[in-house]
Amino acid sequence: EPDYWRAFRIFTEGVPLAGHFLSPHTELLARDRMDNHPTVRANIDPVEEKFAKEEHMSFHIALPRLFVHFIPGIFISPLHWVVQKAKGRLCVDCTNGPDPAGSPNTSIPPPGLDVADECPPISYGNTFNRYLVDLYRLRLTHPYEDILQHSDDIDSAFRRVLYHPDMAVVFAYVLSDYLIVPVGQVFGSRSAPSYFSLTSDLRAYIASTHDLQPSVGTPFLPIVNQTVIDPLPVPWDPATALTQMPPDPLYSVMTSEEQRSCVNETYVDDNAIAAIRSRFRAGCAVQ
C-alpha cells in the first residue's frame, strides 16, 4: 500500500489502522488501584493546569472514573510528569504497569514495513544530515546569494492524529475522579511517532513541491498569509563575508528541477526551511 494512501486512511479512519490488543481483566483492576506514577501526585497543580488546557483544546473526553468498570476493551496506562528545559510534559506510560501484559505498547510491534498498518516505519532519523546536505548544495548552486532559514513547530503534534473511536479506549488513563479517553494520540504510545511521521513527511513533501501561488497576480491562500516572517533579516553581501564553498565529489549543484522545490526537512513536529532570499517574502515563508 503506498504511503500516501496509508496517510489518507490515517486522516479519514483514525489510528491505529490495524492491531490486536489483549490484556488480562485483573490488570485493569490493578491499574485502577495503582493510579499514576508518584511524579503526578507530587506535581498535581501543574498537571491539573495542563489537563485544563487540553480540555479547552478538546484533546480528550473526561468521564466519571467509575466508567472504567463498564467500558469493554478499555486499557489503563499510568501517567508520568516529566520536566525538560523547565517545561512540564504529561506522558502516558503505555509500556509499564503492574504487569506489562496490560500495556498497549506490549501489543504494538516495532516500526517496520511488514507491519506498516500497525506501526509504520519512521524516516526522520537522518533529517539533520539531509538538511546539512541541502544547505551545502544550495550554497554550491548560489555561492554569492543570501540564504535565509526559517523553523516552525507544530503545537501538540501527536494529538492532531485522531484515534479511531473504537480504539481510543486502549490508550485511556485516569486522573483523580476522572477517566480520560483521548481523542488524539497520546505521548507515550509506541506507534504515535510512526503515524505522525508518515503524515508530517507527506505535508513536508507537498509544501516543498506544491506551488502556493500558481500564477502571477493570484493571491496567496489565507493560511499562507497567516505565516509571518516580518521583517525579514537585513540584507547583507555574502560575497564580502563568506569564503566560497569548495566542491565535493559526493554532492553536486542543484538541478533546475530541484531548485523549483524549497528545502524543507521535518523532524517529528519541527520543520526547517531554507531558500535564497529572492524566494522569501515578508509575511510568509517560501514562494
Side-chain angles (χ1 to χ4, degrees), residues 1-260:
E1 183 178 69
D3 281 347
Y4 67 83
W5 180 247
R6 184 168 286 110
F8 174 79
R9 290 177 56 208
I10 289 173
F11 286 126
T12 57
E13 300 175 18
V15 299
L17 297 178
H20 181 72
F21 297 87
L22 183 65
S23 173
H25 178 68
T26 54
E27 183 65 8
L28 176 64
L29 302 178
R31 286 165 180 262
D32 187 31
R33 289 192 296 268
M34 172 188 173
D35 198 56
N36 293 305
H37 289 299
T39 54
V40 172
R41 293 188 289 273
N43 297 275
I44 191 62
D45 289 341
V47 167
E48 290 184 343
E49 181 179 349
K50 189 77 168 181
F51 263 103
K53 178 182 177 181
E54 297 209 344
E55 178 70 16
H56 177 71
M57 298 296 291
S58 300
F59 287 154
H60 60 235
I61 300 172
L63 302 169
R65 185 159 176 167
L66 62 88
F67 277 36
V68 165
H69 307 286
F70 299 97
I71 299 179
I74 194 169
F75 283 54
I76 296 295
S77 296
L79 285 176
H80 196 17
W81 180 255
V82 178
V83 178
Q84 289 184 332
K85 299 179 181 179
K87 181 180 179 180
R89 179 189 292 272
L90 277 173
C91 300
V92 182
D93 188 351
C94 296
T95 300
N96 301 298
D99 184 345
S103 298
N105 284 350
T106 301
S107 300
I108 301 175
L113 286 172
D114 56 333
V115 289
D117 278 354
E118 296 179 67
C119 196
I122 296 174
S123 63
Y124 51 65
N126 60 354
T127 297
F128 185 58
N129 181 70
R130 294 200 312 268
Y131 187 66
L132 293 180
V133 170
D134 287 341
L135 282 178
Y136 175 80
R137 296 186 65 213
L138 189 61
R139 176 52 70 207
L140 283 179
T141 309
H142 302 278
Y144 297 114
E145 293 189 57
D146 196 359
I147 295 177
L148 301 182
Q149 301 182 73
H150 172 67
S151 61
D152 59 45
D153 171 82
I154 301 175
D155 187 42
S156 302
F158 290 176
R159 291 292 205 186
R160 301 182 184 278
V161 176
L162 304 184
Y163 281 127
H164 188 287
D166 292 344
M167 301 304 296
V169 294
V170 172
F171 304 93
Y173 40 99
V174 295
L175 179 69
S176 302
D177 297 329
Y178 298 100
L179 164 65
I180 310 296
V181 178
V183 173
Q185 289 194 120
V186 299
F187 186 84
S189 165
R190 170 182 269 178
S191 57
S194 297
Y195 288 123
F196 183 81
S197 174
L198 183 59
T199 59
S200 64
D201 287 348
L202 182 62
R203 280 192 293 266
Y205 176 77
I206 294 174
S208 300
T209 60
H210 181 61
D211 192 347
L212 299 176
Q213 191 174 22
S215 60
V216 176
T218 302
F220 280 89
L221 296 172
I223 194 172
V224 177
N225 288 320
Q226 292 172 14
T227 305
V228 177
I229 313 174
D230 193 9
L232 292 176
V234 177
W236 56 292
D237 184 5
T240 62
L242 295 177
T243 301
Q244 188 170 358
M245 184 70 70
D248 189 302
L250 295 179
Y251 305 107
S252 60
V253 298
M254 291 182 169
T255 65
S256 57
E257 184 69 21
E258 288 175 318
Q259 292 181 63
R260 293 178 60 186

